[in-house]
Amino acid sequence: MRRVAIVGAGLTKFVRYAQETPKELAYEGVRMALDSCEMKLSDIECVVHGTAPDAFDGVHMKGEYLSDASGAYRKPYMRHYVGGGTGVLSPIHGWFHVASGMFDTCLVVTEEKMSCAYPHPAGAFLTIFDHTTEQPLYPTLIWIFAIEMNRFMTTHGYRKEDIALVAVKNKKNAIDHPSAQLAAEITVEDVLNSEVMAWPVNRLDISPTSDGAAAIILAAEHVARRVTEKPIWIDGVGWALDTAYWCTRDLYYPDYVEVAARQAYKMSGIREPSKEIHVAEPYDPFTYKELHHIEGLQLCKRGESVQMLVDGVTQRTGNLPCCPSGGALGVGNPIAATGLMKIIEIFLQLREEAGKRQVPGKPTCGLAQAWGDLMQVGTVVVMRS
Amino acid sequence: MALIERYQKTTDISYWEGQIPMSYIYTVGRAGEKFFREMMNGRIFGAKCESCDVTYVPPRTYCEKCFARLEDHYADVGGKGTVHTFTECHEAYDGTKKQKPSIVAMIRIEGTQGGIVHWLGETHFKDVYIGMSVEAVFKAKKDREGGILDIKYFRPIK
């Protein structure tokens, strides 16, 4: 397999109600990615698109609808979809196209416009649950996370006030992100005093619904060396799905993230992730999910993620910065675009182009991870400078 | 019974009824805002890409061929065009018979590579042909709402 580099990236602002159509959002992301590395659309050989349920934008066969705005006019094009895990699957999908030798360049685009869904995109989730055994209970996404969070907290003896520090950290980090929707200086008390959505999940434990798009450009080594002096290599990829029967899983631990991470680490030759990964972007749609995923990613032992957080290890200036971008909690969560936003953050961190968000110590190895589908997919990408 | 025979009565099997409870608010977007605001003035707008020599109707913010930004290149393309292709519909979208068949045509707007799908009026199916010159007929100004139905239909240019 050939080496594959990220050579350019574009990211729109994340907002709650975008005037732009989904197509116009996708175009803005792609235009920025092309401009970032001075490439033309004619330099792109193929396009992959990641976007989550059609039910968000309210356009059936959304991948096809978004194709021209994603630069795919008369080009080989594929859309993929693994729910919230989509944004980190998207570079993996593009990586295959280039690593295989089939194409020298691949444009990877992700888009989500959740504000179309009315009164709330959460309505789209009712029908992901089993129609006979679960739908009659009118489940919401928030209460399934609430029962997972409770299991996670209780198993490890974590306290809600400690988990709330994730929101404090990420929303603060987002202040330095030009795309951020919910950047803020908040306190643990603010989180604990915010409205209870489904105990133990409060409003400030949750990422917002967002509109936005992100794009990156992948290139084979000989092209990457021509395009940029600072290619960032996709060095390990992994993804895995657990059973779709969620009652069969023990929710306290994301085994599927571990499987995906181990696949990526093996490919990248990583034996001690907590030492060899310098900066990470675990998926943080809820406060506890950042911790849940840090454990699944083997960045600490099970049950130690809260201590890491409390000790400041995951702060931007800590030994293992997590979500220096501000994450889904701070930058926003236009589902598929969020995962790619995380990939772009690691790209910028490893190029030392993250500006005020730059983590110290010249990181050379980073990781982005996302999670989704029926709460059972893990997607992981390891990158190196 | 399963996999071998089709069930004949719903009383033979357990089943449920359900729905996906979603509704939507779609913005018309940046290019759409221009298109529909101008339509309320009785004008059809397009967007021209100079380098590809293509005019898109309705207008777009970008050229799909070269990705140039087209927002500074919106222009009135006039209300005339030709029938690129057409059909006469006898059934409605729900499968019921239409009281009066309608003629639907793809109209290539003059001087552009884009077009509008719309009804043809003030004509008969047997008189319509590919290449026929047509023009947009707008609703009375007070009835226009900023939508594609602000055009009542296209009619032959006499």
Side-chain angles (χ1 to χ4, degrees):
Chain A
M1 284 184 294
R2 302 194 298 176
R3 294 182 83 194
V4 180
I6 304 177
V7 298
L11 183 66
T12 69
K13 198 166 163 40
F14 289 177
V15 297
R16 177 68 181 99
Y17 294 106
Q19 181 192 358
E20 286 81 357
T21 61
K23 277 180 192 269
E24 288 173 352
L25 285 172
Y27 168 74
E28 294 300 331
V30 173
R31 184 69 262 170
M32 288 166 79
L34 289 167
D35 290 345
S36 76
C37 55
E38 296 179 346
M39 286 176 82
K40 296 193 291 289
L41 190 59
S42 54
D43 297 323
I44 301 297
E45 294 182 4
C46 69
V47 180
V48 300
H49 199 291
T51 189
D54 289 352
F56 283 159
D57 296 51
V59 177
H60 203 53
M61 300 181 71
K62 178 156 72 145
E64 289 70 11
Y65 160 78
L66 288 164
S67 61
D68 60 273
S70 304
Y73 175 77
R74 294 187 181 172
K75 286 183 163 67
Y77 176 75
M78 283 185 191
R79 179 243 182 134
H80 55 268
Y81 165 44
V82 283
T86 303
V88 174
L89 189 73
S90 60
I92 299 177
H93 187 182
W95 173 85
F96 272 104
H97 284 336
V98 178
S100 68
M102 186 81 180
F103 302 103
D104 285 341
T105 56
C106 177
L107 172 62
V108 178
V109 190
T110 57
E111 180 278 342
E112 217 76 64
K113 188 175 178 192
M114 301 173 76
S115 66
C116 293
Y118 187 81
H120 196 280
F125 290 102
L126 173 63
T127 46
I128 71 174
F129 298 94
D130 188 279
H131 27 53
T132 42
T133 59
E134 290 159 4
Q135 278 185 34
L137 306 172
Y138 286 97
T140 70
L141 266 200
I142 294 172
W143 68 248
I144 56 164
F145 294 125
I147 62 178
E148 184 174 79
M149 180 171 171
N150 187 12
R151 181 83 194 153
F152 177 59
M153 282 170 60
T154 305
T155 303
H156 295 305
Y158 292 156
R159 303 185 311 164
K160 235 179 94 58
E161 51 267 45
D162 292 333
I163 293 176
L165 281 168
V166 175
V168 175
K169 168 177 73 73
N170 291 6
K171 287 179 190 292
K172 183 163 184 244
N173 283 349
I175 291 171
D176 298 323
H177 201 302
S179 294
Q181 179 182 347
L182 279 190
E185 289 242 29
I186 58 165
T187 63
V188 167
E189 284 66 37
D190 292 333
V191 180
L192 299 177
N193 294 333
S194 64
E195 182 188 351
V196 177
M197 307 295 283
W199 187 89
V201 174
N202 293 45
R203 183 170 289 282
L204 290 178
D205 284 305
I206 314 182
S207 58
T209 55
S210 315
D211 301 341
I216 57 171
I217 294 166
L218 303 181
E221 185 161 11
H222 65 285
V223 177
R225 301 271 184 212
R226 279 206 308 268
V227 172
T228 178
E229 289 177 357
K230 292 196 273 185
I232 298 299
W233 305 97
I234 293 184
D235 205 49
V237 302
W239 73 106
L241 277 93
D242 208 326
T243 170
Y245 291 94
W246 62 308
C247 290
T248 314
R249 305 199 292 268
D250 190 326
L251 302 175
Y252 95 98
Y253 185 74
D255 292 282
Y256 42 93
V257 171
E258 178 177 341
V259 173
R262 287 193 186 281
Q263 184 190 339
Y265 295 154
K266 185 177 175 194
M267 185 173 153
S268 192
I270 290 174
R271 290 200 170 78
E272 289 188 84
S274 62
K275 291 186 184 145
E276 294 175 59
I277 303 286
H278 304 145
V279 53
E281 280 280 338
Y283 193 46
D284 61 325
F286 286 68
T287 45
Y288 81 95
K289 284 307 278 186
E290 174 171 312
L291 306 167
H292 203 231
H293 292 149
I294 284 171
E295 295 184 13
L297 289 165
Q298 318 298 305
L299 297 179
C300 67
K301 292 200 177 81
R302 292 185 197 193
E304 292 183 359
S305 61
V306 161
Q307 198 55 51
M308 255 177 105
L309 173 68
V310 171
D311 292 345
V313 176
T314 56
Q315 292 285 344
R316 206 181 265 156
T317 50
N319 276 340
L320 180 39
C322 288
C323 294
S325 66
L329 288 163
V331 185
N333 196 6
I335 308 296
T338 311
L340 204 54
M341 177 276 283
K342 288 179 171 289
I343 294 281
I344 291 171
E345 181 68 12
I346 299 299
F347 169 72
L348 295 173
Q349 291 286 351
L350 300 183
R351 281 166 73 121
E352 295 190 82
E353 290 176 358
K356 283 184 177 173
R357 303 192 309 283
Q358 185 63 49
V359 306
K362 298 190 187 307
T364 59
C365 182
L367 167 155
Q369 173 260 334
W371 151 92
D373 258 355
L374 302 175
M375 293 68 72
Q376 97 285 31
V377 68
T379 50
V380 177
V381 169
V382 173
M383 293 150 69
R384 291 183 193 270
S385 57
Chain B
M1 182 169 82
L3 299 180
I4 298 169
E5 283 180 54
R6 184 157 185 238
Y7 65 84
Q8 300 298 315
K9 297 196 292 287
T10 52
T11 48
D12 291 345
I13 51 157
S14 297
Y15 71 102
W16 69 91
E17 290 179 359
Q19 57 173 320
I20 300 181
M22 294 295 292
S23 58
Y24 292 91
I25 292 173
Y26 301 99
T27 61
V28 295
R30 298 212 300 242
E33 201 73 28
K34 181 71 179 170
F35 184 58
F36 290 115
R37 287 196 188 280
E38 291 295 345
M39 190 158 280
M40 289 172 85
N41 297 323
R43 291 199 287 256
I44 296 173
F45 260 64
K48 180 162 189 181
C49 177
E50 301 283 350
S51 55
C52 296
D53 196 23
V54 171
T55 300
Y56 297 101
V57 180
R60 307 176 188 178
T61 57
Y62 58 93
C63 172
E64 65 182 14
K65 296 181 185 192
C66 74
F67 255 43
R69 192 177 289 282
L70 301 184
E71 284 178 279
D72 293 332
H73 302 274
Y74 296 151
D76 187 344
V77 293
K80 294 177 180 160
T82 53
V83 172
H84 192 67
T85 182
F86 67 100
T87 183
E88 185 182 50
C89 314
H90 293 266
E91 278 200 2
Y93 68 89
D94 61 358
T96 58
K97 207 82 180 161
K98 286 165 81 89
Q99 295 283 343
K100 185 168 172 278
S102 55
I103 309 170
V104 176
M106 185 187 287
I107 293 135
R108 181 77 73 226
I109 300 296
E110 204 167 66
T112 77
Q113 286 67 42
I116 293 176
V117 175
H118 221 294
W119 294 306
L120 293 185
E122 299 181 33
T123 186
H124 299 284
F125 180 59
K126 64 176 173 44
D127 297 328
V128 180
Y129 57 93
I130 286 175
M132 183 186 211
S133 293
V134 293
E135 62 187 0
V137 178
F138 287 88
K139 285 181 178 166
K141 188 150 189 175
K142 65 174 173 46
D143 297 331
R144 291 178 203 155
E145 296 174 319
I148 198 70
L149 299 183
D150 285 355
I151 298 173
K152 282 198 322 203
Y153 49 76
F154 282 75
R155 72 180 172 199
I157 299 173
K158 298 209 170 73

